[in-house]
Amino acid sequence: MKSRMTLKLLVVVLLVQFSCSINSQPSFNLVPRAKADFTSYSVLPFPGGGMSALDFNNDGWDDITLTTWQDDGVHFYENHFGNFTEVSPISTSLHGQYYSVWIDYNNDGSKELFVVSESGGMQVFSKNAAGTYAEVTSMVGLSGLNGVARRGGVFGDFNNDGLLDFYLCAYSLAHQNTMFFQDTNNVFQDVTSIAGTANGFKRSFHAVIIDYNNDGLLDMYIANDFHDGNTLYKNNGDSTFTDVSAQSGAYVQLDAMGLALGDYDGDLDLDIHITDRGQDSKLLRNNNDGTFTEVGTSMGVDFVNGYGWGNNFFDADQDGDEDLYVTTEYEPINNLLPSALFINNGSAPFSSFSFPGDSLFAFCNTIGDFNKDRLTDIAVLCSWNMQSIIWENNSQISNSSLSLRFEGCESNKDAIGTTFHSYNGGSARLFSIHGSQSYMGQNSNEKIVPLIGSNLLDSLIIYWPSGKQTSHYNLQSNQTLIISECSSPRPLPTILAPHFDSSGLTICGDNSILLTLNGHYPNIAWSNGETTDSIYVNSAGSYTVTVTNQFGVSAASSPISIIEREYPAYTIESEIA
């Protein structure tokens, strides 16, 4: 009897596991070129740089910013209903860029573009009163940095004064890294000797911020190439740092490329995945006691025979845990692996698979929700004349979700360095806000939080860089909220045009255009007086929608313009003999 029950239990467990494996594998499709006609980093087989998936025009849609190699500048693509149009708001240098991120460094509500190039130093561009961008590199104290091989850096408020600081990496055996603290005049001052963060003479790609010991201070982890050994700097709280790489277990020697941060094991601390070009990638599990344990091989994410570059933790299947996507410099020799998505199986090793057609010469990857369906998509920068691309997540998901942006007031406006816990269904999840990670990439600043088996998020606990802690309870699903450090959550409504791919925003004859609201809110008011989630419009004009959320806060969407096709007037004349 006992053996029969054991066999029955085993069969049930196997069936459950088999069913989960069928239903839970996410699905991604390549966005066609007609919708995302992006450039390549270089026509030659040069290693690529970084990219940004941030909404740079602040219309609610994640945009794309691409670096390119020499004799070309940074490229910008605005997102219109999941279709990308190249625009030229800024003309950057042609030195070959590696790092381009949008940062509100002076907390004025407008984001500036920071660019790091191969040997041309830095450029900073800010929007002026006329609505155009002008270079302000000298004004902010970041000029004169040319002549040194550089790749990327990282932003963070390292001295907790509410202003973002910047750490700039040198990819050089003759020059060291530089730490800049921002002063109250919004000028970046070189404090490297005081901070103790020069990092020796190493070939540093970039860094990430992480409060690895949960003391409320931002620490920093640096990816160093050519087995120079990665560096973990502990923030001492007095504007100085201590190298704790060895004693923390974070010192690993590899061709370190990408740095991905995520809580893969669900224990509410941040772990670090490090890609390697040609050997084993590493996974540093945070032991929550100020130390790390390397578990890449045992967890199945060492990516042997993969030329790993970009990497990102995110919940691809919205099942409550962090999956991992890695892009590779794929070359069809020596059994090298293509890019891969690693699915989190809990305490068991990750399982992996590759998307059809994902054998690309790929480098940085960034994540965002490019079609506003509350599923995380992946943007990939490619080189060697291969077009940069987007993988659209079209997985069948049963759980509902929330989309959240964060805004500091006592802390920096971008809320960089903020962490938050979401509580739902008896479990807790950790999320973190960064200005850049992956391989010199900038992800969307919108976080998608899945709600497991419920339409309510029980609670949201936010830990701001200022040291302040705020909480919100019973958040309703299927809405986008801006979570502020100093005020109630406000909605961020977005208008969708489901048939934009086929008909655009042009009315032809007696046809009408369907407009829908991205989410559900207690009160809805369209500019034409209607109050439903979706409307049909049959006349030209500008349309907006204003919503009120559960907290009684109202906000309006960005406007969209509907036009009417004009037909030429014909006059038919007839002569009768």
Side-chain angles (χ1 to χ4, degrees):
M1 181 68 176
K2 181 178 180 180
S3 61
R4 186 177 299 175
M5 290 180 63
T6 302
L7 179 61
K8 183 177 181 180
L9 178 61
L10 178 61
V11 170
V12 170
V13 170
L14 289 174
L15 285 174
V16 169
Q17 290 178 340
F18 180 69
S19 174
C20 289
S21 67
I22 290 176
N23 296 328
S24 63
Q25 178 165 301
S27 174
F28 286 77
N29 287 341
L30 180 65
V31 174
R33 186 167 185 167
K35 297 179 64 174
D37 190 8
F38 301 138
T39 188
S40 177
Y41 182 78
S42 172
V43 297
L44 299 174
F46 289 138
M51 68 188 304
S52 169
L54 197 84
D55 174 16
F56 61 72
N57 60 358
N58 201 33
D59 65 351
W61 293 83
D62 292 331
D63 303 306
I64 291 293
T65 305
L66 287 175
T67 59
T68 60
W69 186 233
Q70 294 182 0
D71 300 324
D72 200 356
V74 174
H75 288 242
F76 307 90
Y77 301 86
E78 289 184 345
N79 184 351
H80 302 286
F81 307 102
N83 293 258
F84 291 84
T85 302
E86 185 164 11
V87 295
S88 301
I90 297 171
S91 294
T92 64
S93 71
L94 308 180
H95 289 288
Q97 312 89 28
Y98 277 98
Y99 185 76
S100 60
V101 295
W102 295 89
I103 301 290
D104 183 4
Y105 79 100
N106 56 2
N107 298 328
D108 67 350
S110 178
K111 296 189 186 299
E112 287 73 36
L113 178 70
F114 288 75
V115 180
V116 179
S117 64
E118 162 71 15
S119 58
M122 290 194 64
Q123 288 186 290
V124 185
F125 297 88
S126 179
K127 185 177 286 189
N128 55 33
T132 59
Y133 286 90
E135 185 171 356
V136 296
T137 312
S138 296
M139 293 175 55
V140 302
L142 294 175
S143 61
L145 297 170
N146 56 305
V148 177
R150 302 189 188 278
R151 295 295 186 268
V154 68
F155 282 88
D157 183 5
F158 295 111
N159 55 358
N160 285 17
D161 63 352
L163 296 170
L164 286 170
D165 311 304
F166 183 59
Y167 186 71
L168 177 63
C169 293
Y171 191 82
S172 171
L173 295 178
H175 299 86
Q176 300 184 85
N177 299 345
T178 310
M179 173 67 85
F180 295 94
F181 279 8
Q182 185 183 170
D183 65 23
T184 54
N185 294 316
N186 304 124
V187 177
F188 290 89
Q189 305 289 347
D190 185 346
V191 296
T192 311
S193 59
I194 298 172
T197 53
N199 196 39
F201 297 93
K202 299 182 178 182
R203 287 152 291 195
S204 301
F205 268 120
H206 63 125
V208 289
I209 53 172
I210 176 174
D211 181 7
Y212 81 100
N213 54 358
N214 296 314
D215 64 355
L217 302 171
L218 283 183
D219 312 300
M220 181 172 56
Y221 191 65
I222 306 170
N224 298 314
D225 199 3
F226 287 106
H227 291 248
D228 289 342
N230 287 0
T231 308
L232 176 63
Y233 279 116
K234 175 182 177 292
N235 192 332
N236 299 319
D238 58 0
S239 298
T240 69
F241 292 76
T242 300
D243 184 345
V244 295
S245 310
Q247 58 263 47
S248 67
Y251 182 79
V252 288
Q253 292 178 289
L254 69 168
D255 292 342
M257 304 294 175
L259 298 174
L261 294 170
D263 182 18
Y264 85 92
D265 53 359
D267 62 352
L268 301 183
D269 53 33
L270 289 175
D271 311 298
I272 309 173
H273 184 264
I274 312 154
T275 53
D276 181 30
R277 185 180 182 272
Q279 295 188 17
D280 295 357
S281 296
K282 307 295 182 184
L283 176 59
L284 300 182
R285 184 187 66 208
N286 193 329
N287 299 320
N288 205 15
D289 61 1
T291 67
F292 293 85
T293 300
E294 203 290 300
V295 295
T297 299
S298 62
M299 292 307 300
V301 292
D302 51 359
F303 207 47
V304 179
N305 289 331
Y307 273 17
W309 286 82
N311 50 350
N312 258 302
F313 280 111
F314 69 100
D315 192 351
D317 47 12
Q318 291 197 8
D319 63 350
D321 52 27
E322 299 273 26
D323 308 302
L324 175 71
Y325 179 72
V326 177
T327 43
T328 68
E329 173 194 346
Y330 177 75
E331 300 171 15
I333 57 174
N334 300 326
N335 297 317
L336 294 182
L337 298 176
S339 301
L341 179 64
F342 295 83
I343 302 300
N344 193 327
N345 296 314
S347 59
F350 285 66
S351 55
S352 66
F353 70 98
S354 297
F355 308 148
D358 203 10
S359 299
L360 301 168
F361 201 67
F363 295 89
C364 178
N365 72 67
T366 57
I367 54 177
D369 180 10
F370 298 110
N371 58 351
K372 307 301 291 183
D373 63 355
R374 294 198 175 86
L375 295 175
T376 302
D377 310 308
I378 309 168
V380 180
L381 181 142
C382 300
S383 189
W384 203 356
N385 211 30
M386 296 183 188
Q387 190 176 28
S388 298
I389 59 169
I390 289 178
W391 292 107
E392 184 178 284
N393 190 338
N394 60 359
S395 305
Q396 298 300 310
I397 303 297
S398 58
N399 294 317
S400 58
S401 59
L402 275 168
S403 298
L404 304 177
R405 295 189 184 189
F406 292 80
E407 181 181 272
C409 57
E410 297 176 18
S411 304
N412 67 87
K413 190 82 168 182
D414 284 346
I416 291 172
T418 298
T419 60
F420 64 95
H421 295 169
S422 67
Y423 293 87
N424 166 251
S427 63
R429 298 186 64 193
L430 168 67
F431 298 81
S432 56
I433 311 296
H434 301 268
S436 58
Q437 58 172 312
S438 181
Y439 170 69
M440 297 182 292
Q442 183 177 37
N443 293 331
S444 168
N445 60 348
E446 197 164 290
K447 294 289 185 179
I448 300 173
V449 179
L451 308 183
I452 310 301
S454 173
N455 288 321
L456 285 177
L457 184 64
D458 297 336
S459 59
L460 183 73
I461 314 296
I462 306 102
Y463 304 89
W464 302 91
S466 64
K468 189 175 182 178
Q469 177 181 323
T470 59
S471 305
H472 303 286
Y473 301 94
N474 298 320
L475 277 71
Q476 297 170 359
S477 65
N478 296 322
Q479 58 177 326
T480 302
L481 296 174
I482 298 176
I483 305 297
S484 171
E485 185 178 8
C486 299
S487 59
S488 297
R490 62 184 189 272
L492 182 62
T494 304
I495 297 174
L496 308 182
H499 305 302
F500 181 84
D501 292 355
S502 58
S503 58
L505 297 177
T506 302
I507 295 174
C508 301
D510 295 330
N511 293 340
S512 59
I513 291 179
L514 173 65
L515 302 179
T516 66
L517 175 62
N518 179 37
H520 301 296
Y521 299 89
N523 293 290
I524 302 168
W526 292 84
S527 53
N528 66 351
E530 298 194 46
T531 58
T532 55
D533 287 344
S534 301
I535 63 172
Y536 284 92
V537 298
N538 51 22
S539 59
S542 178
Y543 291 82
T544 61
V545 62
T546 299
V547 303
T548 304
N549 66 14
Q550 67 188 94
F551 302 98
V553 181
S554 300
S557 69
S558 295
I560 68 167
S561 296
I562 304 297
I563 62 176
E564 187 171 357
R565 177 173 293 174
E566 295 184 1
Y567 295 93
Y570 294 98
T571 301
I572 301 176
E573 297 182 357
S574 175
E575 293 185 4
I576 302 176

